[in-house]
Amino acid sequence: MILVTGGLGYIGSHTCVALQRAGHALTIVDNLANSKIGVLERIRALGGGSVEFHRADLRDGPALAAAFERHPVEAVIHFAGYKAVGESVAKPLEYYDNNIGGTFVLLDTMARFSVHRIVFSSSATVYGDPQRLPLTEDHPLGAVNPYGRTKQFIESILTDVAAGTPGFRHATLRYFNPMGAHPSGRLGEDPRGIPNNLFPYITQVAIGRLQKLRVFGNDYDTVDGTGVRDFIHVMDLAEGHVAALRYLLEKDRSITANLGTGRGNSVLEVVGAFERVTGIRIPHEFAPRRPGDVASCYADVSRAFAELGWKTKLGIEDMCRDGWAWQSANPQGYPD
Ligand code: NAD
Ligand code: WQD
């Protein structure tokens, strides 16, 4: 049994489908802070395996322990947390409390139940402003906002716990920019309110919920002046977790690895790909740079390939096609 925290969220839900398809039975723990319960049936239908669900907040120790009590837990995959950069600047204590506090209770509960394997959702944001590209895992860390600092602290906590606990192993996965959806159009990204991220903003313009995309900055030193990111299909990312779990269970070593494609695409390239794939025009205008943004960010993915035997299979057009399949079939996201 694999215990998945935050399994009803965007990346968690896709990963739960991939995990079931790889033969794992799952227990999901989620408090629905940023997800809807209807996701669960879709995860079950697409995955076809066994999925138990506990509605619980990670910070509630007894409720979390109840999820560990039912079946022996082989490993934990830890997605649960808050992830909005801007909100983390406005509400740092909520971010430290939920992300670090939640991880603390989780690690404590794992220790009580002698569970020694964890896959953790870190982020490329821990690198801060890139000093060189592509980003290798040994690039200096320097998160520039409270959200990123929670990820950096949790990485350190995992390193410390591994040093002090014989047999404890972690796979710390630094995601670049996840995008797209399950190809069925039944699972996807369903942000609350106006999206902060590029791709859900584009799909909501396409469906008519938003009028036009504002492209933040067209004077960066990039191919066309707009920001460049390493966009990764959420299904490729999901498979990265299956590979990391296999690594922990078979190789019995800890690892920190980037999960990206290794290639960057500009904002205008994403808009162009979306228009090509869907035939829908995305009205857009240039706006000033967004504070805190960097010009370019993309991964060196050689470690993930060498150690995990994993690399991405899907490209930007697949992400656009599948993301649009989701948005067009679910114009308002998941039902309440
Ligand atoms: P998400 O918000 O869609 O999913 C997170 C899930 O965790 C939600 O279902 C939410 O209800 C749940 N949750 C939050 N706090 C909880 C708590 N205290 N107890 C129980 N459940 C709780 O986010 P996502 O995009 O799927 O991201 C998953 C993880 O990956 C996060 O840790 C995020 O920081 C990290 N990450 C995301 C991105 C991205 O661009 N989406 C990039 C890098 C890293
Ligand atoms: C991508 C590009 C924007 C919206 C964030 C977090 C990071 C990680 C992934 C969690 C940039 C431009 C965007 C819009 C735009 N999350 N843009 N108009 O900032 O690379 O990463 O999500 O760990 O921590 O910081 O992603 O999708 O917000 O932006 O022009 O309406 O799109 O300026 O160049 P980002 P993003």
Side-chain angles (χ1 to χ4, degrees):
M1 171 73 70
I2 306 299
L3 188 138
V4 185
T5 78
L8 297 189
Y10 171 46
I11 303 169
S13 56
H14 292 80
T15 303
C16 283
V17 170
L19 288 166
Q20 287 174 81
R21 297 217 153 247
H24 296 287
L26 309 177
T27 294
I28 295 176
V29 177
D30 201 302
N31 66 355
L32 303 181
N34 195 34
S35 50
K36 295 193 181 146
I37 190 65
V39 181
L40 182 60
E41 277 321 307
R42 298 187 186 198
I43 291 173
R44 286 183 171 138
L46 292 169
S50 149
V51 182
E52 232 180 64
F53 177 64
H54 290 257
R55 180 172 184 172
D57 191 306
L58 283 193
R59 292 162 294 183
D60 179 347
L64 183 60
F68 278 76
E69 259 154 22
R70 291 279 298 267
H71 309 278
V73 174
E74 244 181 311
V76 170
I77 305 191
H78 179 31
F79 295 103
Y82 295 151
K83 64 165 180 178
V85 171
E87 189 182 58
S88 80
V89 175
K91 301 175 180 172
L93 293 179
E94 288 188 23
Y95 273 66
Y96 288 118
D97 178 36
N98 195 40
N99 292 8
I100 298 182
T103 303
F104 182 81
V105 177
L106 176 65
L107 290 169
D108 195 44
T109 309
M110 286 172 63
R112 282 181 38 217
F113 285 85
S114 302
V115 178
H116 289 325
R117 302 280 179 279
I118 183 168
V119 179
F120 171 60
S121 302
S122 191
S123 167
T125 198
V126 296
Y127 295 119
D129 206 349
Q131 293 166 17
R132 49 176 193 269
L133 289 168
L135 285 155
T136 48
E137 288 85 356
D138 62 0
H139 182 283
L141 304 187
V144 294
N145 54 63
Y147 163 70
R149 280 189 281 274
T150 67
K151 294 293 178 192
Q152 213 177 311
F153 286 140
I154 294 167
E155 287 200 4
S156 299
I157 291 170
L158 290 172
T159 307
D160 290 343
V161 172
T165 317
F168 183 95
R169 307 281 184 254
H170 66 91
T172 293
L173 304 179
R174 295 179 180 154
Y175 313 154
F176 280 67
N177 288 60
M179 180 176 141
H182 190 275
S184 65
R186 298 278 295 153
L187 288 181
E189 187 171 10
D190 184 16
R192 279 173 204 235
I194 295 177
N196 299 309
N197 295 115
L198 176 65
F199 190 67
Y201 205 105
I202 290 176
T203 61
Q204 291 197 15
V205 169
I207 202 79
R209 281 168 68 177
L210 296 168
Q211 275 196 327
K212 70 162 73 150
L213 172 72
R214 296 195 320 142
V215 176
F216 299 135
N218 63 345
D219 57 353
Y220 286 111
D221 183 16
T222 60
V223 58
D224 55 23
T226 65
V228 164
R229 298 291 183 274
D230 187 335
F231 296 99
I232 171 171
H233 197 298
V234 69
M235 292 310 300
D236 275 331
L237 189 58
E239 292 300 336
H241 292 75
V242 176
L245 184 61
R246 192 184 317 119
Y247 181 90
L248 286 183
L249 297 175
E250 288 175 7
K251 295 270 166 68
D252 195 26
R253 283 202 299 269
S254 291
I255 184 170
T256 296
N258 290 334
L259 295 188
T261 63
R263 292 191 311 116
N265 280 107
S266 74
V267 172
L268 286 183
E269 284 171 350
V270 176
V271 171
F274 187 87
E275 291 182 333
R276 243 182 353 266
V277 167
T278 64
I280 299 169
R281 211 177 59 80
I282 301 299
H284 57 273
E285 65 187 15
F286 293 117
R289 291 179 177 193
R290 190 173 62 177
D293 273 357
V294 301
S296 296
C297 176
Y298 50 93
D300 181 309
V301 292
S302 45
R303 183 183 290 178
F305 185 58
E307 297 288 325
L308 305 178
W310 168 92
K311 66 175 186 280
T312 58
K313 298 192 174 105
L314 302 165
I316 202 82
E317 296 202 344
D318 303 301
M319 303 180 214
C320 290
R321 182 197 60 229
D322 296 337
W324 179 237
W326 150 255
Q327 186 73 80
S328 53
N330 304 270
Q332 301 299 324
Y334 293 108
D336 281 317

